[in-house]
Amino acid sequence: MIRSIIKLFLLLALIAIAPFLIDEKGYILIAMGDLTYELTVVSAIMLLVIAAFIFAFVLWGTRIGWKFSSRTWRKMAFSNKAKAKLEFQKGLAAYLLGDYQQAETLMAKCAERSELANSAWLIAAASSKKQDNAAKTANYLQLIAEHPDAQENFSFETLLVAGRINLDDKQFSKARALLDDNHKLIGHDGRLLGLEIEVCLHENRFDKAIEQLKPLRKNKHLDKDKVTDWEKRSFSGYFQQLSQQQSIEAVAKYYKSLSRKERQSEGIVLAYADCLSANGLVTNLEELILPLLKKDASPSFIHAVKRLPIQHSQHVIAAIQKVLLKQPENILWLSALAHLCAANKEYDKAHKAFTALLKIKQLPDDLLGYANLLENMGEHQQANRVYQELLNA
């Protein structure tokens, strides 16, 4: 570039001094219509040089101005986002440290300017919920529903958290509206299906909850006890509706129409057992429960079995004892054995089971059962001592 400028300068200099070398000024004639301009070569070159300098200066000024304005625009455009990002990070740190008031303030302040608008509103909502401010929590969730930037990046994680907050605050109609408006996001995600089931249970739409359970059973990542609980609540509600609207025979017919796999499901079996017990039909409970008394039975199932009014539960007791031969210190099975033996008035077996159990762990439910057993056995003084332990616990 510099070499080209030097060459051009030398060429212009040569043209400028040429008239003096040959003792002739030289003229340039420019004619435009009726107008005629006459310039010497020297003056023409001087005008060209001046024009070139003016052009270079204007170009330089334009580039400097553009560079400055571009930098200023970028600074103005991105400074808000940078500030919002910093506030988001501080707000998240405050939430993790338990400073919910500060977290709420920062997240509400940066949400509209942040690229993570949904997350900011959700953390603000969770922070206000931690402060028991239901009105603000509802307001932040409403902003997610209405704000265009938040809606643009709406995801099933946003739906899950917002729906769970609504559910915890007993805002069932809002949770339902949120799920219905974004039903395409639910798909087969276990967490969202669980949320849908919870809302259906609160709405007493037990048949809809049962329908959602079918794809949920295929999810291997969900807690088994949680799925069992959903099954029990869904089928218990449906069985109760069916028995009230039709008859207990209709419930039995529906239960028999279920697939073999469903009739081996802990939650469904417990729901059916509760329905039979509520209608005074307890003679077949042992036959119903017995096939599921395996070593891999869930804790919730074992707890539920010991509370069932099973008459003549010798086979159930024998099945539990068989498990305990391999797991003699399993407190879940020991507790079930103790309570069932006490209910069937097999006091010696119950006493041995309670004694072994309470040496390992003393839970209020088991202490109360032991105290009742001692009272039934006529050992009132010892029963009073256990009752006193319960009161002092």
Side-chain angles (χ1 to χ4, degrees):
M1 180 67 179
I2 296 174
R3 186 177 298 175
S4 300
I5 294 172
I6 293 172
K7 287 180 179 179
L8 179 62
F9 178 78
L10 290 174
L11 178 63
L12 293 172
L14 181 61
I15 295 172
I17 63 174
F20 295 101
L21 293 174
I22 62 174
D23 196 25
E24 179 65 46
K25 291 184 178 181
Y27 291 92
I28 296 175
L29 187 66
I30 301 173
M32 295 179 66
D34 295 333
L35 297 175
T36 303
Y37 295 95
E38 185 178 305
L39 297 170
T40 62
V41 173
V42 175
S43 61
I45 291 173
M46 289 180 64
L47 286 173
L48 285 173
V49 170
I50 293 170
F53 274 110
I54 293 173
F55 177 76
F57 179 78
V58 171
L59 181 63
W60 173 79
T62 303
R63 290 180 64 184
I64 293 295
W66 171 258
K67 187 176 180 180
F68 177 77
S69 62
S70 177
R71 186 180 300 172
T72 304
W73 180 84
R74 284 198 300 268
K75 187 176 181 181
M76 290 176 63
F78 293 104
S79 63
N80 282 338
K81 288 187 177 181
K83 188 176 180 181
K85 184 178 180 181
L86 181 61
E87 289 172 345
F88 183 90
Q89 292 172 342
K90 288 182 177 180
L92 181 60
Y95 183 83
L96 294 174
L97 293 171
D99 188 354
Y100 301 120
Q101 185 176 0
Q102 178 71 355
E104 179 195 347
T105 301
L106 288 169
M107 288 301 180
K109 185 178 179 182
C110 76
E112 290 195 12
R113 294 174 286 118
S114 174
E115 295 178 351
L116 301 171
N118 286 338
S119 299
W121 290 130
L122 286 173
I123 295 174
S127 300
S128 62
K129 180 173 170 54
K130 293 284 187 181
Q131 299 173 75
D132 297 322
N133 194 327
K136 279 191 173 182
T137 303
N139 182 55
Y140 293 134
L141 294 177
Q142 188 66 28
L143 286 169
I144 294 176
E146 295 177 350
H147 198 277
D149 289 342
Q151 278 296 303
E152 185 179 347
N153 299 311
F154 205 86
S155 63
F156 68 82
E157 288 87 358
T158 305
L159 176 60
L160 178 67
V161 177
R164 178 58 59 186
I165 291 174
N166 278 325
L167 198 62
D168 291 344
D169 285 341
K170 304 188 185 307
Q171 300 289 333
F172 305 124
S173 60
K174 291 183 179 179
R176 166 53 59 203
L178 195 62
L179 289 171
D180 288 346
D181 290 343
N182 300 278
H183 66 280
K184 292 182 180 179
L185 292 174
I186 296 176
H188 294 282
D189 184 82
R191 296 167 298 175
L192 289 176
L193 285 171
L195 181 62
E196 174 75 28
I197 290 171
E198 290 282 356
V199 176
C200 286
L201 290 173
H202 286 290
E203 296 170 335
N204 292 332
R205 297 170 64 194
F206 302 111
D207 53 342
K208 179 69 174 177
I210 290 171
E211 184 182 332
Q212 299 298 330
L213 281 166
K214 293 177 182 178
L216 193 64
R217 294 190 187 101
K218 299 177 183 178
N219 193 312
K220 297 180 180 179
H221 302 291
L222 289 175
D223 181 63
K224 185 181 177 182
D225 271 359
K226 191 64 181 174
V227 177
T228 299
D229 178 62
W230 283 331
E231 284 185 333
K232 185 176 184 298
R233 291 164 61 195
S234 300
F235 278 90
S236 290
Y238 185 71
F239 289 153
Q240 186 179 2
Q241 284 182 347
L242 198 58
S243 63
Q244 290 174 352
Q245 294 170 4
Q246 298 183 35
S247 64
I248 189 63
E249 287 77 16
V251 176
K253 184 179 179 180
Y254 175 82
Y255 179 76
K256 289 177 182 178
S257 71
L258 296 174
S259 67
R260 185 172 178 270
K261 188 174 182 180
E262 287 177 313
R263 282 185 278 113
Q264 291 178 341
S265 171
E266 292 179 345
I268 298 174
V269 168
L270 288 174
Y272 188 48
D274 284 344
C275 183
L276 293 176
S277 301
N279 287 273
L281 304 173
V282 295
T283 54
N284 295 325
L285 289 183
E286 185 178 43
E287 183 182 345
L288 184 67
I289 294 296
L290 197 56
L292 300 183
L293 285 175
K294 303 172 184 178
K295 62 180 181 180
D296 60 343
S298 67
S300 60
F301 181 76
I302 300 170
H303 278 302
V305 166
K306 71 183 183 184
R307 294 182 177 88
L308 289 173
I310 304 174
Q311 293 181 349
H312 312 296
S313 56
Q314 284 76 16
H315 292 95
V316 172
I317 291 172
I320 294 174
Q321 287 176 318
K322 186 177 180 180
V323 176
L324 283 169
L325 286 174
K326 296 180 181 180
Q327 304 176 42
E329 294 189 351
N330 188 308
I331 60 172
L332 290 171
W333 288 108
L334 277 172
S335 177
L337 178 64
H339 284 275
L340 283 171
C341 287
N344 279 265
K345 298 183 179 180
E346 295 187 30
Y347 295 145
D348 290 337
K349 284 185 180 180
H351 191 276
K352 289 179 181 179
F354 272 121
T355 302
L357 172 64
L358 296 174
K359 284 181 180 178
I360 302 170
K361 192 168 185 178
Q362 296 183 357
L363 296 174
D365 184 52
D366 295 323
L367 284 170
L368 182 60
Y370 183 47
N372 291 333
L373 172 67
L374 292 172
E375 194 170 357
N376 290 329
M377 294 174 68
E379 298 182 18
H380 300 292
Q381 186 174 357
Q382 195 172 355
N384 287 333
R385 181 180 60 79
V386 178
Y387 282 131
Q388 192 64 41
E389 286 182 19
L390 274 169
L391 291 172
N392 295 332

PDB file of all heavy atoms in Angstrom, residues 230-255:
ATOM      1  N   TRP A 230     -49.076 -44.356  43.632  1.00  0.00           N
ATOM      2  CA  TRP A 230     -49.988 -43.818  42.611  1.00  0.00           C
ATOM      3  C   TRP A 230     -51.015 -44.867  42.190  1.00  0.00           C
ATOM      4  O   TRP A 230     -52.191 -44.556  42.021  1.00  0.00           O
ATOM      5  CB  TRP A 230     -49.198 -43.353  41.391  1.00  0.00           C
ATOM      6  CG  TRP A 230     -48.510 -42.048  41.585  1.00  0.00           C
ATOM      7  CD1 TRP A 230     -48.897 -41.024  42.406  1.00  0.00           C
ATOM      8  CD2 TRP A 230     -47.300 -41.610  40.958  1.00  0.00           C
ATOM      9  NE1 TRP A 230     -48.005 -39.985  42.332  1.00  0.00           N
ATOM     10  CE2 TRP A 230     -47.030 -40.302  41.452  1.00  0.00           C
ATOM     11  CE3 TRP A 230     -46.428 -42.167  40.038  1.00  0.00           C
ATOM     12  CZ2 TRP A 230     -45.920 -39.569  41.039  1.00  0.00           C
ATOM     13  CZ3 TRP A 230     -45.329 -41.450  39.626  1.00  0.00           C
ATOM     14  CH2 TRP A 230     -45.073 -40.160  40.120  1.00  0.00           C
ATOM     15  N   GLU A 231     -50.562 -46.106  42.023  1.00  0.00           N
ATOM     16  CA  GLU A 231     -51.490 -47.184  41.645  1.00  0.00           C
ATOM     17  C   GLU A 231     -52.551 -47.402  42.710  1.00  0.00           C
ATOM     18  O   GLU A 231     -53.747 -47.516  42.406  1.00  0.00           O
ATOM     19  CB  GLU A 231     -50.714 -48.481  41.422  1.00  0.00           C
ATOM     20  CG  GLU A 231     -49.963 -48.541  40.116  1.00  0.00           C
ATOM     21  CD  GLU A 231     -49.309 -49.882  39.883  1.00  0.00           C
ATOM     22  OE1 GLU A 231     -48.991 -50.571  40.872  1.00  0.00           O
ATOM     23  OE2 GLU A 231     -49.109 -50.254  38.720  1.00  0.00           O
ATOM     24  N   LYS A 232     -52.101 -47.440  43.953  1.00  0.00           N
ATOM     25  CA  LYS A 232     -53.050 -47.695  45.046  1.00  0.00           C
ATOM     26  C   LYS A 232     -54.092 -46.591  45.149  1.00  0.00           C
ATOM     27  O   LYS A 232     -55.295 -46.842  45.269  1.00  0.00           O
ATOM     28  CB  LYS A 232     -52.297 -47.832  46.371  1.00  0.00           C
ATOM     29  CG  LYS A 232     -53.174 -48.221  47.558  1.00  0.00           C
ATOM     30  CD  LYS A 232     -52.327 -48.429  48.803  1.00  0.00           C
ATOM     31  CE  LYS A 232     -53.200 -48.909  49.956  1.00  0.00           C
ATOM     32  NZ  LYS A 232     -54.230 -47.935  50.345  1.00  0.00           N
ATOM     33  N   ARG A 233     -53.639 -45.327  45.093  1.00  0.00           N
ATOM     34  CA  ARG A 233     -54.575 -44.203  45.211  1.00  0.00           C
ATOM     35  C   ARG A 233     -55.521 -44.133  44.011  1.00  0.00           C
ATOM     36  O   ARG A 233     -56.719 -43.864  44.167  1.00  0.00           O
ATOM     37  CB  ARG A 233     -53.789 -42.901  45.352  1.00  0.00           C
ATOM     38  CG  ARG A 233     -53.044 -42.779  46.682  1.00  0.00           C
ATOM     39  CD  ARG A 233     -51.993 -41.691  46.646  1.00  0.00           C
ATOM     40  NE  ARG A 233     -52.571 -40.374  46.393  1.00  0.00           N
ATOM     41  CZ  ARG A 233     -51.850 -39.303  46.038  1.00  0.00           C
ATOM     42  NH1 ARG A 233     -50.540 -39.411  45.880  1.00  0.00           N
ATOM     43  NH2 ARG A 233     -52.436 -38.150  45.851  1.00  0.00           N
ATOM     44  N   SER A 234     -54.987 -44.370  42.817  1.00  0.00           N
ATOM     45  CA  SER A 234     -55.815 -44.295  41.606  1.00  0.00           C
ATOM     46  C   SER A 234     -56.885 -45.388  41.603  1.00  0.00           C
ATOM     47  O   SER A 234     -58.075 -45.114  41.390  1.00  0.00           O
ATOM     48  CB  SER A 234     -54.937 -44.432  40.352  1.00  0.00           C
ATOM     49  OG  SER A 234     -53.971 -43.409  40.288  1.00  0.00           O
ATOM     50  N   PHE A 235     -56.474 -46.629  41.845  1.00  0.00           N
ATOM     51  CA  PHE A 235     -57.418 -47.745  41.808  1.00  0.00           C
ATOM     52  C   PHE A 235     -58.351 -47.740  43.019  1.00  0.00           C
ATOM     53  O   PHE A 235     -59.517 -48.133  42.895  1.00  0.00           O
ATOM     54  CB  PHE A 235     -56.672 -49.072  41.698  1.00  0.00           C
ATOM     55  CG  PHE A 235     -56.250 -49.408  40.298  1.00  0.00           C
ATOM     56  CD1 PHE A 235     -55.021 -48.993  39.814  1.00  0.00           C
ATOM     57  CD2 PHE A 235     -57.089 -50.111  39.449  1.00  0.00           C
ATOM     58  CE1 PHE A 235     -54.626 -49.288  38.511  1.00  0.00           C
ATOM     59  CE2 PHE A 235     -56.717 -50.414  38.144  1.00  0.00           C
ATOM     60  CZ  PHE A 235     -55.482 -49.995  37.672  1.00  0.00           C
ATOM     61  N   SER A 236     -57.867 -47.272  44.171  1.00  0.00           N
ATOM     62  CA  SER A 236     -58.747 -47.178  45.348  1.00  0.00           C
ATOM     63  C   SER A 236     -59.891 -46.219  45.066  1.00  0.00           C
ATOM     64  O   SER A 236     -61.061 -46.511  45.363  1.00  0.00           O
ATOM     65  CB  SER A 236     -57.962 -46.708  46.576  1.00  0.00           C
ATOM     66  OG  SER A 236     -57.070 -47.700  47.017  1.00  0.00           O
ATOM     67  N   GLY A 237     -59.552 -45.056  44.499  1.00  0.00           N
ATOM     68  CA  GLY A 237     -60.585 -44.087  44.164  1.00  0.00           C
ATOM     69  C   GLY A 237     -61.551 -44.614  43.124  1.00  0.00           C
ATOM     70  O   GLY A 237     -62.769 -44.426  43.241  1.00  0.00           O
ATOM     71  N   TYR A 238     -61.013 -45.293  42.107  1.00  0.00           N
ATOM     72  CA  TYR A 238     -61.881 -45.822  41.057  1.00  0.00           C
ATOM     73  C   TYR A 238     -62.771 -46.941  41.587  1.00  0.00           C
ATOM     74  O   TYR A 238     -63.969 -47.002  41.258  1.00  0.00           O
ATOM     75  CB  TYR A 238     -61.035 -46.330  39.894  1.00  0.00           C
ATOM     76  CG  TYR A 238     -61.867 -46.777  38.715  1.00  0.00           C
ATOM     77  CD1 TYR A 238     -62.547 -45.851  37.927  1.00  0.00           C
ATOM     78  CD2 TYR A 238     -61.986 -48.128  38.391  1.00  0.00           C
ATOM     79  CE1 TYR A 238     -63.333 -46.246  36.858  1.00  0.00           C
ATOM     80  CE2 TYR A 238     -62.762 -48.541  37.325  1.00  0.00           C
ATOM     81  CZ  TYR A 238     -63.430 -47.595  36.559  1.00  0.00           C
ATOM     82  OH  TYR A 238     -64.214 -48.004  35.502  1.00  0.00           O
ATOM     83  N   PHE A 239     -62.207 -47.836  42.414  1.00  0.00           N
ATOM     84  CA  PHE A 239     -63.007 -48.926  42.999  1.00  0.00           C
ATOM     85  C   PHE A 239     -64.130 -48.370  43.865  1.00  0.00           C
ATOM     86  O   PHE A 239     -65.261 -48.873  43.849  1.00  0.00           O
ATOM     87  CB  PHE A 239     -62.123 -49.861  43.826  1.00  0.00           C
ATOM     88  CG  PHE A 239     -61.196 -50.715  43.003  1.00  0.00           C
ATOM     89  CD1 PHE A 239     -59.998 -51.180  43.545  1.00  0.00           C
ATOM     90  CD2 PHE A 239     -61.517 -51.061  41.703  1.00  0.00           C
ATOM     91  CE1 PHE A 239     -59.141 -51.967  42.801  1.00  0.00           C
ATOM     92  CE2 PHE A 239     -60.651 -51.852  40.939  1.00  0.00           C
ATOM     93  CZ  PHE A 239     -59.454 -52.300  41.490  1.00  0.00           C
ATOM     94  N   GLN A 240     -63.829 -47.322  44.621  1.00  0.00           N
ATOM     95  CA  GLN A 240     -64.846 -46.715  45.480  1.00  0.00           C
ATOM     96  C   GLN A 240     -65.965 -46.092  44.639  1.00  0.00           C
ATOM     97  O   GLN A 240     -67.155 -46.263  44.949  1.00  0.00           O
ATOM     98  CB  GLN A 240     -64.203 -45.654  46.380  1.00  0.00           C
ATOM     99  CG  GLN A 240     -65.164 -45.068  47.403  1.00  0.00           C
ATOM    100  CD  GLN A 240     -64.493 -44.047  48.301  1.00  0.00           C
ATOM    101  OE1 GLN A 240     -63.325 -43.736  48.146  1.00  0.00           O
ATOM    102  NE2 GLN A 240     -65.237 -43.516  49.261  1.00  0.00           N
ATOM    103  N   GLN A 241     -65.587 -45.374  43.584  1.00  0.00           N
ATOM    104  CA  GLN A 241     -66.599 -44.796  42.687  1.00  0.00           C
ATOM    105  C   GLN A 241     -67.457 -45.889  42.055  1.00  0.00           C
ATOM    106  O   GLN A 241     -68.691 -45.771  41.973  1.00  0.00           O
ATOM    107  CB  GLN A 241     -65.915 -43.972  41.592  1.00  0.00           C
ATOM    108  CG  GLN A 241     -65.405 -42.617  42.038  1.00  0.00           C
ATOM    109  CD  GLN A 241     -64.786 -41.827  40.886  1.00  0.00           C
ATOM    110  OE1 GLN A 241     -64.514 -42.372  39.803  1.00  0.00           O
ATOM    111  NE2 GLN A 241     -64.556 -40.537  41.103  1.00  0.00           N
ATOM    112  N   LEU A 242     -66.812 -46.960  41.620  1.00  0.00           N
ATOM    113  CA  LEU A 242     -67.515 -48.039  40.944  1.00  0.00           C
ATOM    114  C   LEU A 242     -68.485 -48.750  41.880  1.00  0.00           C
ATOM    115  O   LEU A 242     -69.619 -49.076  41.506  1.00  0.00           O
ATOM    116  CB  LEU A 242     -66.508 -49.029  40.360  1.00  0.00           C
ATOM    117  CG  LEU A 242     -67.004 -49.993  39.281  1.00  0.00           C
ATOM    118  CD1 LEU A 242     -67.562 -49.230  38.094  1.00  0.00           C
ATOM    119  CD2 LEU A 242     -65.866 -50.925  38.846  1.00  0.00           C
ATOM    120  N   SER A 243     -68.042 -48.967  43.134  1.00  0.00           N
ATOM    121  CA  SER A 243     -68.915 -49.650  44.095  1.00  0.00           C
ATOM    122  C   SER A 243     -70.109 -48.780  44.494  1.00  0.00           C
ATOM    123  O   SER A 243     -71.209 -49.283  44.722  1.00  0.00           O
ATOM    124  CB  SER A 243     -68.123 -50.050  45.345  1.00  0.00           C
ATOM    125  OG  SER A 243     -67.639 -48.899  46.019  1.00  0.00           O
ATOM    126  N   GLN A 244     -69.891 -47.465  44.552  1.00  0.00           N
ATOM    127  CA  GLN A 244     -70.984 -46.559  44.910  1.00  0.00           C
ATOM    128  C   GLN A 244     -71.970 -46.381  43.764  1.00  0.00           C
ATOM    129  O   GLN A 244     -73.181 -46.345  43.975  1.00  0.00           O
ATOM    130  CB  GLN A 244     -70.417 -45.196  45.324  1.00  0.00           C
ATOM    131  CG  GLN A 244     -69.679 -45.218  46.658  1.00  0.00           C
ATOM    132  CD  GLN A 244     -68.995 -43.896  46.970  1.00  0.00           C
ATOM    133  OE1 GLN A 244     -68.933 -42.999  46.127  1.00  0.00           O
ATOM    134  NE2 GLN A 244     -68.494 -43.750  48.188  1.00  0.00           N
ATOM    135  N   GLN A 245     -71.455 -46.273  42.545  1.00  0.00           N
ATOM    136  CA  GLN A 245     -72.315 -46.054  41.390  1.00  0.00           C
ATOM    137  C   GLN A 245     -72.990 -47.340  40.917  1.00  0.00           C
ATOM    138  O   GLN A 245     -74.099 -47.309  40.392  1.00  0.00           O
ATOM    139  CB  GLN A 245     -71.498 -45.444  40.247  1.00  0.00           C
ATOM    140  CG  GLN A 245     -70.988 -44.038  40.557  1.00  0.00           C
ATOM    141  CD  GLN A 245     -69.988 -43.546  39.525  1.00  0.00           C
ATOM    142  OE1 GLN A 245     -69.722 -44.219  38.523  1.00  0.00           O
ATOM    143  NE2 GLN A 245     -69.415 -42.365  39.765  1.00  0.00           N
ATOM    144  N   GLN A 246     -72.298 -48.478  41.105  1.00  0.00           N
ATOM    145  CA  GLN A 246     -72.875 -49.756  40.668  1.00  0.00           C
ATOM    146  C   GLN A 246     -72.955 -50.723  41.847  1.00  0.00           C
ATOM    147  O   GLN A 246     -73.912 -50.675  42.614  1.00  0.00           O
ATOM    148  CB  GLN A 246     -72.031 -50.333  39.518  1.00  0.00           C
ATOM    149  CG  GLN A 246     -72.022 -49.429  38.275  1.00  0.00           C
ATOM    150  CD  GLN A 246     -71.264 -50.030  37.121  1.00  0.00           C
ATOM    151  OE1 GLN A 246     -71.264 -51.245  36.910  1.00  0.00           O
ATOM    152  NE2 GLN A 246     -70.584 -49.179  36.351  1.00  0.00           N
ATOM    153  N   SER A 247     -71.938 -51.558  42.037  1.00  0.00           N
ATOM    154  CA  SER A 247     -71.953 -52.520  43.142  1.00  0.00           C
ATOM    155  C   SER A 247     -70.555 -53.085  43.352  1.00  0.00           C
ATOM    156  O   SER A 247     -69.671 -52.897  42.509  1.00  0.00           O
ATOM    157  CB  SER A 247     -72.925 -53.667  42.842  1.00  0.00           C
ATOM    158  OG  SER A 247     -72.472 -54.384  41.699  1.00  0.00           O
ATOM    159  N   ILE A 248     -70.365 -53.788  44.457  1.00  0.00           N
ATOM    160  CA  ILE A 248     -69.078 -54.421  44.729  1.00  0.00           C
ATOM    161  C   ILE A 248     -68.812 -55.530  43.712  1.00  0.00           C
ATOM    162  O   ILE A 248     -67.663 -55.839  43.387  1.00  0.00           O
ATOM    163  CB  ILE A 248     -69.029 -54.964  46.178  1.00  0.00           C
ATOM    164  CG1 ILE A 248     -67.609 -55.426  46.541  1.00  0.00           C
ATOM    165  CG2 ILE A 248     -70.039 -56.072  46.372  1.00  0.00           C
ATOM    166  CD1 ILE A 248     -66.571 -54.339  46.522  1.00  0.00           C
ATOM    167  N   GLU A 249     -69.894 -56.113  43.162  1.00  0.00           N
ATOM    168  CA  GLU A 249     -69.737 -57.140  42.125  1.00  0.00           C
ATOM    169  C   GLU A 249     -69.125 -56.533  40.862  1.00  0.00           C
ATOM    170  O   GLU A 249     -68.337 -57.187  40.169  1.00  0.00           O
ATOM    171  CB  GLU A 249     -71.084 -57.783  41.799  1.00  0.00           C
ATOM    172  CG  GLU A 249     -71.635 -58.719  42.860  1.00  0.00           C
ATOM    173  CD  GLU A 249     -72.234 -57.971  44.051  1.00  0.00           C
ATOM    174  OE1 GLU A 249     -72.504 -56.745  43.912  1.00  0.00           O
ATOM    175  OE2 GLU A 249     -72.432 -58.608  45.113  1.00  0.00           O
ATOM    176  N   ALA A 250     -69.491 -55.294  40.583  1.00  0.00           N
ATOM    177  CA  ALA A 250     -68.916 -54.606  39.420  1.00  0.00           C
ATOM    178  C   ALA A 250     -67.425 -54.377  39.610  1.00  0.00           C
ATOM    179  O   ALA A 250     -66.643 -54.460  38.652  1.00  0.00           O
ATOM    180  CB  ALA A 250     -69.633 -53.273  39.201  1.00  0.00           C
ATOM    181  N   VAL A 251     -67.024 -54.112  40.857  1.00  0.00           N
ATOM    182  CA  VAL A 251     -65.598 -53.941  41.173  1.00  0.00           C
ATOM    183  C   VAL A 251     -64.860 -55.253  40.940  1.00  0.00           C
ATOM    184  O   VAL A 251     -63.782 -55.286  40.329  1.00  0.00           O
ATOM    185  CB  VAL A 251     -65.407 -53.468  42.626  1.00  0.00           C
ATOM    186  CG1 VAL A 251     -63.922 -53.399  42.964  1.00  0.00           C
ATOM    187  CG2 VAL A 251     -66.065 -52.121  42.844  1.00  0.00           C
ATOM    188  N   ALA A 252     -65.454 -56.367  41.437  1.00  0.00           N
ATOM    189  CA  ALA A 252     -64.832 -57.680  41.268  1.00  0.00           C
ATOM    190  C   ALA A 252     -64.700 -58.042  39.788  1.00  0.00           C
ATOM    191  O   ALA A 252     -63.672 -58.580  39.347  1.00  0.00           O
ATOM    192  CB  ALA A 252     -65.657 -58.745  41.997  1.00  0.00           C
ATOM    193  N   LYS A 253     -65.731 -57.715  39.022  1.00  0.00           N
ATOM    194  CA  LYS A 253     -65.708 -57.995  37.587  1.00  0.00           C
ATOM    195  C   LYS A 253     -64.626 -57.175  36.896  1.00  0.00           C
ATOM    196  O   LYS A 253     -63.897 -57.690  36.025  1.00  0.00           O
ATOM    197  CB  LYS A 253     -67.078 -57.683  36.987  1.00  0.00           C
ATOM    198  CG  LYS A 253     -67.205 -58.027  35.514  1.00  0.00           C
ATOM    199  CD  LYS A 253     -68.604 -57.721  35.001  1.00  0.00           C
ATOM    200  CE  LYS A 253     -68.729 -58.050  33.523  1.00  0.00           C
ATOM    201  NZ  LYS A 253     -70.088 -57.752  33.002  1.00  0.00           N
ATOM    202  N   TYR A 254     -64.497 -55.903  37.276  1.00  0.00           N
ATOM    203  CA  TYR A 254     -63.473 -55.041  36.681  1.00  0.00           C
ATOM    204  C   TYR A 254     -62.083 -55.560  37.044  1.00  0.00           C
ATOM    205  O   TYR A 254     -61.191 -55.612  36.185  1.00  0.00           O
ATOM    206  CB  TYR A 254     -63.645 -53.601  37.167  1.00  0.00           C
ATOM    207  CG  TYR A 254     -62.551 -52.671  36.701  1.00  0.00           C
ATOM    208  CD1 TYR A 254     -62.583 -52.097  35.437  1.00  0.00           C
ATOM    209  CD2 TYR A 254     -61.463 -52.367  37.531  1.00  0.00           C
ATOM    210  CE1 TYR A 254     -61.564 -51.251  34.998  1.00  0.00           C
ATOM    211  CE2 TYR A 254     -60.446 -51.523  37.104  1.00  0.00           C
ATOM    212  CZ  TYR A 254     -60.510 -50.970  35.844  1.00  0.00           C
ATOM    213  OH  TYR A 254     -59.498 -50.142  35.416  1.00  0.00           O
ATOM    214  N   TYR A 255     -61.893 -55.951  38.314  1.00  0.00           N
ATOM    215  CA  TYR A 255     -60.588 -56.455  38.760  1.00  0.00           C
ATOM    216  C   TYR A 255     -60.198 -57.710  37.972  1.00  0.00           C
ATOM    217  O   TYR A 255     -59.046 -57.851  37.558  1.00  0.00           O
ATOM    218  CB  TYR A 255     -60.615 -56.742  40.255  1.00  0.00           C
ATOM    219  CG  TYR A 255     -59.311 -57.294  40.784  1.00  0.00           C
ATOM    220  CD1 TYR A 255     -58.220 -56.463  40.980  1.00  0.00           C
ATOM    221  CD2 TYR A 255     -59.165 -58.654  41.063  1.00  0.00           C
ATOM    222  CE1 TYR A 255     -57.009 -56.961  41.452  1.00  0.00           C
ATOM    223  CE2 TYR A 255     -57.964 -59.164  41.536  1.00  0.00           C
ATOM    224  CZ  TYR A 255     -56.891 -58.309  41.719  1.00  0.00           C
ATOM    225  OH  TYR A 255     -55.690 -58.811  42.171  1.00  0.00           O
TER     226      TYR A 255
END
